[in-house]
Amino acid sequence: QVQLVESGGGSVQAGGSLRLSCTASEADDRRACMGWFRQAPGKEREGIAALYDPGSNTYYARSVEGRFTISRDNATNTIYLQMNSLKPEDSAIYYCVASDVLFRRLVYMNPADFGYWGQGTQVTVSS
């Protein structure tokens, strides 16, 4: 059972940047898709970014496209989420996720498709 460990959350002012990291417990345990969800208080979980096979296809939710960038270090099986131009509405708990589903084309991240979840890391953006 792969375990996902996030790091890099914290507090930042609006307009600032943060980078989240997520490392799988086994460096050679590569999953078909890895990405990030977030959940703000009183709101549903939102899938915001993913990298999926084949190759390095990417998906971004509209709410973060152009501001966030997802990337992966294959050697360490670590994914990153670079978050720029942060807004107060980006404040949430961010979860690293992984899936064994082979998506032909990812147009929406359904939480039910992701069987592996990290513990979450808090991101707070102040105005």
Side-chain angles (χ1 to χ4, degrees):
Q1 177 89 3
V2 64
Q3 291 186 329
L4 304 172
V5 180
E6 304 102 334
S7 61
S11 298
V12 66
Q13 288 195 326
S17 299
L18 283 174
R19 189 176 81 155
L20 305 183
S21 302
C22 171
T23 301
S25 56
E26 300 294 335
D28 59 354
D29 191 357
R30 182 186 166 113
R31 300 291 154 168
C33 176
M34 291 185 72
W36 298 88
F37 275 78
R38 69 183 181 185
Q39 187 167 24
K43 294 190 176 181
E44 292 187 356
R45 290 184 185 181
E46 177 189 17
I48 57 170
L51 272 169
Y52 62 102
D53 289 335
S56 296
N57 296 300
T58 56
Y59 163 84
Y60 294 100
R62 281 190 188 176
S63 56
V64 305
E65 193 164 20
R67 300 187 297 122
F68 292 9
T69 303
I70 188 169
S71 60
R72 171 161 51 197
D73 180 342
N74 289 322
T76 61
N77 208 12
T78 299
I79 64 167
Y80 302 95
L81 186 67
Q82 178 65 44
M83 305 185 294
N84 298 329
S85 302
L86 283 162
K87 305 174 182 179
E89 51 264 44
D90 293 318
S91 297
I93 299 175
Y94 284 68
Y95 298 92
C96 178
V97 295
S99 173
D100 293 322
V101 175
L102 285 173
F103 298 103
R104 178 175 295 182
R105 180 168 171 262
L106 195 57
V107 297
Y108 167 70
M109 292 176 68
N110 185 339
D113 288 330
F114 293 83
Y116 307 95
W117 291 73
Q119 291 289 90
T121 184
Q122 178 72 48
V123 171
T124 302
V125 184
S126 58
S127 58

